[in-house]
Structures are given as structure tokens and as C-alpha cells.
């Protein structure tokens, strides 16, 4: 065996020696929990990664897999006791932090750890394998800290503490399940690696006992993995629906000013927040029918009009513009600077029109025309049916002023 690799007995002693209840480890655990909780609270991934680098939970998880793999009931119980104590200590510490923290909203980093999927189980399997490879090395290495980052044992415990503070039991069980998935599959992977390395059993084991232990591990893996498969299926379905909704908004609703879109799988609704006049009944029926083209026929289209007196700021408008630019389909890979600048100019004019006359404008269509190699823009403004002649003149004047400031030839048309 290579000089840099531990023998099987040395590996057993190394992992066994790390399964001890020490006050120093609990002090480290408190520090890690507070760091991780701050990362979740501030929605900061770098802080979370820093906390996971010094995670003390890998030792009892590996010890649990080793104890099961070599039929060492004493080591198994020591590892399980240490793991439970550290987990409880972590949850209580996180609860204390969130009780003291002035920030109590559920950040995206918190919400991201409430719906584990089968991919979390796969990561735990790969991480457990890498962890055992790292544990076999005599020299110091960064494999085990890397596994701690990948499997993220600490953040779910912090989220459990947050869920207790907010009394959100759905979040509590979701994050608890994520922690269980990580622990279980690291343990199972460690068990498998131990058997592949043929570490000696600590008691006399016959074939019947060995098969029973193997079947037990298989049943445990299947039972724990089933909810993650269901969650993964739901996640895929939701993502597909969101992509279809984005396509619908980018193409069918391109002339409207959509500030925000939300698709609800449970209620089967696609809700759009629209700046400007709401489409009339005929237009709404046509839009609803076009949902079928995007495989959203079972969804109800809900359009909310955002009036001038409601909460709205330039950041909302800029966010919308950014999304539209990302969703825009480029016809070919060679795009001239003139075309991009002309498109941006018309989008800016469109934005300003909706900001100034949102209650009088229903939609604005932007088109780029090419004549004899020259590109010009055309803007078609559809006005609300109740717009007065005076209001129409004001909109026309605003549009002409905005177009005059552009560096490109842009024509316009107003219609009802």
C-alpha cells in the first residue's frame, strides 16, 4: 500500500478517535452556527461557505457509517450520540441567533434549503465517497472541508432554528429532511466504501447477519430517497412551467409592459403585473387562448394593472427592461452595433411613455425595418378607448420629443 495512505486499521483508529464529546468542539460549533446563521440572514453565500469550511459534523457522520460497516455497535452509538447532541445544539444556537437578530425575513438562501431533491442525495453520495478518500490520506488535505461545503450539513440546522423561531413547521420539516438526506447518504456511502475496503468486522459475523445489514441499508436508502424523487419531479414541472410562461410573456405579451410575472402550480394561475391599460375582454380571451400554444392551457391568466398611484419605482422598470433584453431572440450571430442601439433607443422611449402616460396607453409595439440596407424604427402606440383628444395630443407630443432625442430614424403611429 502507498506510503501516503492509511492502512485499514489506521483508518479505523483515525475515525474512532475523532468521535469524542469535547467542549472545544461545541464552542467551535456555536461559532460555526452563528456564522452560518449570519450568512443565511444576510443572504450571503461567501459567509455560508466560510461556515461550512469548519463544519465539525463530518466526523460523527463518517463514524456512523464506519460503525455500521464493521459491526461496531459501540462506535455506532458513540457517533450517533455525538451527531444528535451536535445537531440539537446547533438548532438551539440558531434559534438563539434569530431571536436576537433584528432581521427576521426569509432570505432566498433560507428558502433554498427547505425543498431537498434527489440531487441533494446524489451530492451526498459523491461527497461521502470523496470524504472517505480524504480520510484515508495520511497528509493533511482539503477534501473533507470540500465535502462539508458540497453537502452543506450546517445550513439546514440553522434553517430549522429559524423555522422554530417563526413557527413555520413546513420549513422546519423541509430543512430537517434535507439534513437527514445528507447525513443518511454520507453514512450509507461510508458504509459501502468500508465494505469495499474490506475493513475487519469487530465481532463474529455470519452471512445471515451480513445480508440483513445490507438489506437494512438498502431499505433505509430507498425510504429516505422517495420524497426527494417526488420533490425533484415537482421542481422539474415547476421549472418547465416557468420557462413556458417566460416564452408566453416574451412573445405574446411583447407589446405590453409586464413588471412582474408569477406562476402558481397549485392554483394553476399565471399572474402578470402590467403597467398601462389592461387588455379588454376580447383581448383577454385571445391571450388566454394563446396559452395553449405554450402548453399552459390549464392555467388561468390573471392580469393586474399597476396604476400610477401604486408603489412603483425606476428599479422595477429597469428590472423589466433587463429581462426583456435577456429574453430577446437574436436572428443571427452577427449583430451590428446600429441595430442594438436602435433597439435600446426604442425600448427607452417605450419605457418613458409608459411612465408618463400609463393610464392612457394599452401597448407599444417596436419594429425594426430594413430598406435598401438602412434600418429604421417604427413604434406603434395603442391608446385606451377612452383617451380624449387632448390626451392623445399630449401623448403624440411626448412621443415626438422622445423620438427627436434619438440618434436614429424612428417613425410613430398612434391608434385606438
Amino acid at each position: 500500500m502507498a506510503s501516503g495512505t492509511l492502512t485499514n486499521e489506521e483508518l479505523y483508529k483515525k475515525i474512532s478517535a475523532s468521535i469524542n464529546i469535547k467542549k472545544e468542539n461545541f464552542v467551535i460549533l456555536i461559532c460555526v452556527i452563528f456564522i452560518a446563521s449570519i450568512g443565511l440572514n444576510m443572504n450571503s453565500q461567501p459567509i455560508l461557505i466560510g461556515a461550512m469550511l469548519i463544519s465539525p459534523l463530518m466526523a460523527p457522520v463518517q463514524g456512523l457509517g464506519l460503525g455500521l460497516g464493521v459491526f461496531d455497535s459501540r462506535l455506532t452509538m458513540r457517533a450517533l450520540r455525538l451527531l444528535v447532541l451536535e445537531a440539537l445544539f446547533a438548532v438551539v444556537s440558531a434559534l438563539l441567533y434569530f431571536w436576537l437578530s433584528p432581521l427576521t425575513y426569509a432570505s432566498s438562501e433560507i428558502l433554498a434549503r427547505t425543498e431537498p431533491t434527489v440531487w441533494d442525495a446524489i451530492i451526498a453520495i459523491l461527497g461521502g465517497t470523496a470524504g472517505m478518500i480524504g480520510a484515508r490520506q495520511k497528509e493533511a488535505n482539503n477534501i473533507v472541508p470540500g465535502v462539508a461545503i458540497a453537502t452543506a450539513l450546517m445550513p439546514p440546522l440553522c434553517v430549522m432554528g429559524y423555522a422554530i423561531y417563526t413557527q413555520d413547521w413546513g420549513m422546519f420539516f423541509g430543512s430537517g429532511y434535507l439534513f437527514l438526506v445528507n447525513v443518511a447518504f454520507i453514512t450509507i456511502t461510508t458504509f459501502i466504501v468500508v465494505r469495499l475496503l474490506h475493513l475487519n468486522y469487530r465481532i463474529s459475523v455470519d452471512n445471515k447477519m451480513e445480508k440483513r445489514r445490507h438489506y437494512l441499508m438498502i431499505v433505509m436508502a430507498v425510504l429516505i430517497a422517495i420524497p426527494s424523487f417526488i420533490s425533484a419531479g415537482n421542481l422539474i414541472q415547476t421549472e418547465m412551467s416557468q420557462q413556458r410562461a417566460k416564452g408566453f410573456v416574451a412573445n405574446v405579451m411583447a407589446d405590453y409592459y409586464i413588471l412582474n410575472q408569477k406562476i402558481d402550480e397549485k392554483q394553476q394561475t399565471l399572474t402578470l403585473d402590467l403597467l398601462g391599460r389592461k387588455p379588454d375582454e376580447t383581448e383577454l380571451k385571445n391571450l388566454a387562448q394563446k396559452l395553449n400554444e405554450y402548453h399552459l392551457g390549464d392555467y388561468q391568466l390573471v392580469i393586474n394593472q399597476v396604476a400610477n398611484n401604486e408603489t412603483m419605482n425606476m428599479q422595477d422598470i429597469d428590472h423589466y427592461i433587463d429581462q426583456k433584453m435577456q429574453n430577446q431572440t437574436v436572428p443571427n450571430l452577427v449583430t451590428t452595433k446600429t441595430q442594438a442601439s436602435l433597439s435600446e433607443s426604442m425600448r427607452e422611449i417605450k419605457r418613458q411613455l409608459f411612465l408618463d402616460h400609463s393610464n392612457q396607453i394599452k401597448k407599444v409595439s417596436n419594429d425594426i425595418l430594413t430598406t435598401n440596407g438602412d434600418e429604421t424604427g417604427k413604434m406603434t402606440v395603442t391608446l385606451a378607448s377612452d383617451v380624449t383628444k387632448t390626451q392623445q395630443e399630449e401623448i403624440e407630443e411626448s412621443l415626438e420629443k422622445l423620438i427627436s432625442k434619438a440618434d436614429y430614424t424612428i417613425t410613430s403611429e398612434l391608434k385606438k
Side-chain angles (χ1 to χ4, degrees):
M1 185 171 293
S3 59
T5 304
L6 298 174
T7 65
N8 286 348
E9 189 61 27
E10 288 173 336
L11 177 62
Y12 173 84
K13 291 180 179 179
K14 176 184 177 180
I15 295 179
S16 299
S18 65
I19 313 300
N20 291 311
I21 299 176
K22 299 179 181 178
K23 61 181 180 181
E24 292 84 358
N25 288 344
F26 283 92
V27 173
I28 294 172
L29 184 63
I30 292 176
C31 295
V32 173
I33 282 295
F34 271 77
I35 294 172
S37 297
I38 291 171
L40 291 170
N41 210 182
M42 302 300 294
N43 213 36
S44 172
Q45 288 187 349
I47 296 177
L48 279 172
I49 292 173
M52 289 182 282
L53 270 171
I54 48 177
S55 172
L57 290 174
M58 282 300 296
V61 177
Q62 286 184 328
L64 190 58
L66 175 62
L68 291 171
V70 298
F71 282 83
D72 189 335
S73 58
R74 185 170 177 270
L75 175 61
T76 302
M77 293 308 299
R78 281 173 53 209
L80 183 61
R81 182 170 64 249
L82 179 59
L83 179 63
V84 171
L85 281 174
E86 289 187 340
L88 289 175
F89 206 77
V91 172
V92 172
S93 299
L95 172 61
L96 176 62
Y97 168 82
F98 286 108
W99 180 66
L100 295 173
S101 174
L103 301 176
T104 57
Y105 72 98
S107 66
S108 60
E109 289 293 341
I110 290 178
L111 296 176
R113 288 163 175 83
T114 58
E115 296 183 359
T117 66
V118 67
W119 291 286
D120 294 295
I122 293 172
I123 291 171
I125 291 171
L126 298 174
T129 304
M132 284 301 292
I133 293 173
R136 291 188 71 206
Q137 307 305 309
K138 287 183 177 181
E139 67 276 6
N141 59 76
N142 60 359
I143 295 178
V144 174
V147 171
I149 294 173
T151 53
L153 292 170
M154 302 303 292
L157 295 175
C158 296
V159 176
M160 290 175 71
Y162 173 82
I164 294 174
Y165 172 72
T166 58
Q167 297 186 358
D168 188 335
W169 305 117
M171 180 182 290
F172 176 83
F173 288 111
S175 55
Y177 176 58
L178 174 58
F179 178 73
L180 176 64
V181 166
N182 286 334
V183 168
F185 282 96
I186 293 174
T187 300
I188 292 169
T189 304
T190 302
F191 172 88
I192 294 172
V193 173
V194 165
R195 293 316 327 135
L196 290 175
L197 293 175
H198 302 292
L199 268 73
N200 294 328
Y201 291 133
R202 296 292 142 170
I203 61 173
S204 178
V205 178
D206 56 30
N207 289 336
K208 186 176 180 180
M209 291 176 61
E210 190 174 32
K211 288 182 178 179
R212 187 184 304 159
R213 180 63 57 90
H214 291 169
Y215 291 146
L216 176 64
M217 301 300 288
I218 293 172
V219 171
M220 183 175 71
V222 171
L223 291 177
I224 293 175
I226 287 175
S228 70
F229 276 99
I230 297 174
S231 180
N234 293 336
L235 181 63
I236 292 172
Q237 183 62 40
T238 300
E239 182 62 26
M240 290 176 64
S241 297
Q242 288 176 345
Q243 292 302 319
R244 291 166 183 164
K246 287 181 180 179
F248 174 80
V249 171
N251 298 317
V252 179
M253 305 292 294
D255 296 337
Y256 297 90
Y257 222 108
I258 309 300
L259 287 174
N260 187 40
Q261 66 184 56
K262 180 181 179 182
I263 191 163
D264 191 323
E265 288 283 340
K266 294 181 180 179
Q267 300 296 326
Q268 294 280 282
T269 58
L270 172 58
T271 303
L272 305 177
D273 295 332
L274 179 146
L275 178 62
R277 279 300 183 95
K278 192 175 180 180
D280 57 32
E281 291 298 324
T282 303
E283 290 174 311
L284 284 174
K285 288 181 180 179
N286 291 333
L287 291 172
Q289 289 175 355
K290 289 185 178 180
L291 286 172
N292 290 314
E293 300 176 12
Y294 293 84
H295 305 286
L296 296 170
D298 296 333
Y299 285 77
Q300 179 184 359
L301 182 62
V302 179
I303 296 182
N304 299 323
Q305 181 186 9
V306 181
N308 285 339
N309 60 349
E310 294 188 52
T311 302
M312 182 182 65
N313 53 45
M314 291 298 293
Q315 185 176 5
D316 296 326
I317 307 297
D318 289 335
H319 176 67
Y320 167 80
I321 291 293
D322 290 341
Q323 284 189 326
K324 294 293 287 183
M325 292 179 68
Q326 291 173 6
N327 293 332
Q328 185 180 12
T329 301
V330 180
N332 53 60
L333 294 178
V334 181
T335 305
T336 63
K337 181 178 180 181
T338 303
Q339 182 179 354
S341 298
L342 177 57
S343 299
E344 291 169 2
S345 297
M346 289 194 294
R347 280 195 292 268
E348 180 61 31
I349 294 172
K350 179 177 179 179
R351 174 174 70 168
Q352 195 61 50
L353 277 177
F354 271 103
L355 282 173
D356 295 339
H357 308 282
S358 61
N359 285 334
Q360 289 83 47
I361 295 176
K362 290 177 66 174
K363 58 183 180 179
V364 178
S365 302
N366 291 345
D367 297 301
I368 295 178
L369 309 176
T370 303
T371 305
N372 297 326
D374 295 328
E375 292 171 339
T376 60
K378 181 179 179 181
M379 302 188 68
T380 304
V381 181
T382 304
L383 304 175
S385 58
D386 59 351
V387 169
T388 65
K389 185 176 181 180
T390 302
Q391 290 173 329
Q392 182 172 340
E393 290 174 352
E394 290 175 354
I395 295 172
E396 189 170 7
E397 183 181 354
S398 296
L399 182 56
E400 289 177 356
K401 287 182 178 179
L402 291 169
I403 289 177
S404 67
K405 296 178 182 179
D407 296 328
Y408 309 95
T409 302
I410 301 173
T411 59
S412 62
E413 177 186 0
L414 272 67
K415 65 179 184 179
K416 289 188 179 180

